[in-house]
Amino acid sequence: MRVHICAVGRLRAGPEAALIDDYTTRFDRTGRALGLGPLTISEVEDKKGGGMKAEADLLQRALPKGAVIVTMDERGKILSSPEFSSKLAEWRDAGRSDVAFVIGGADGIDPSLRAQADFSISLGKMVWPHMLARAMLTEQLYRAASILAGSPYHRV
C-alpha cells in the first residue's frame, strides 16, 4: 500500500526537513517487506490567498484516486502507536492500494474535505505547526512499520 502525505505549504531546509527525510527513508526501508510504501509527500500552496476552500481544492487534486483519506485534525481520534499500526495494517490487508494523510494549512482543513475523510487522526489536544505535524506523522509511520515488523524500536 502506497503512503502519501498531502500537505499545505512548502517545506524549507532545516531541522524539520532533516527529520522528515530520515523517517521517510526509515519507513521506506522497513515498510517495503510489509507491503507498505513508498512514502511520498505532495505539497500544495495557495498563492492566491483563497483560504481553506482553495487549499482544499488543491489538496483534493493531490489525493490519489481511490485512496483511504485520513485527515490530521485536532477533532480526530487520538490513537496509540500500536493502534495506529493496526489501522495501517487493516487498510493494507483490506486491499487498499493507497492511503493519503492530509495536513491542512494554518486554519486547518476545510469542512468539505474533512467530510470526505475515511478517518481522522489527532496528534493530541494541542495544535502543532504543520511542519512539526509532518515530522511527527513520518515518525509515527516509521514506528508503525517497526511495530508491524516486530522491531524493538517501539518500547512499551
Side-chain angles (χ1 to χ4, degrees), residues 31-155:
R32 187 176 305 125
L34 303 167
L36 295 172
L39 171 58
T40 58
I41 299 175
S42 299
E43 299 176 316
V44 301
E45 198 165 22
D46 174 30
K47 295 181 189 237
K48 296 180 183 175
M52 287 186 349
K53 178 65 177 135
E55 290 172 352
D57 291 342
L58 293 169
L59 286 166
Q60 188 73 45
R61 285 185 244 152
L63 296 171
K65 295 212 182 316
V68 176
I69 299 172
V70 181
T71 54
M72 303 303 295
D73 184 73
E74 64 189 13
R75 292 168 286 269
K77 187 165 175 57
I78 296 174
L79 300 173
S80 68
S81 296
E83 289 170 333
F84 181 60
S85 68
S86 293
K87 210 61 174 145
L88 276 179
E90 177 186 317
W91 293 322
R92 177 202 60 199
D93 296 347
R96 302 301 294 261
S97 56
D98 293 277
V99 61
F101 294 90
V102 178
I103 300 174
D107 295 321
I109 300 170
D110 189 75
S112 65
L113 183 52
R114 279 199 325 261
Q116 294 176 39
D118 297 290
F119 198 75
S120 186
I121 295 175
S122 171
L123 293 174
K125 292 187 178 194
M126 294 179 171
V127 176
W128 297 96
H130 63 276
M131 295 306 171
L132 281 180
R134 282 193 215 186
M136 293 164 66
L137 177 57
T138 55
E139 190 281 337
Q140 284 300 300
L141 285 164
Y142 168 61
R143 183 175 297 272
S146 296
I147 290 169
L148 294 171
S151 161
Y153 177 76
H154 178 74
R155 291 173 179 81

Side-chain angles (χ1 to χ4, degrees), residues 1-3 23-39 88 92 141-142 144-146 148-149:
M1 178 176 69
R2 293 175 297 268
V3 179
Y23 286 121
T24 297
T25 300
R26 290 183 191 200
F27 172 80
D28 286 344
R29 193 177 313 129
T30 305
R32 187 176 305 125
L34 303 167
L36 295 172
L39 171 58
L88 276 179
R92 177 202 60 199
L141 285 164
Y142 168 61
S146 296
L148 294 171

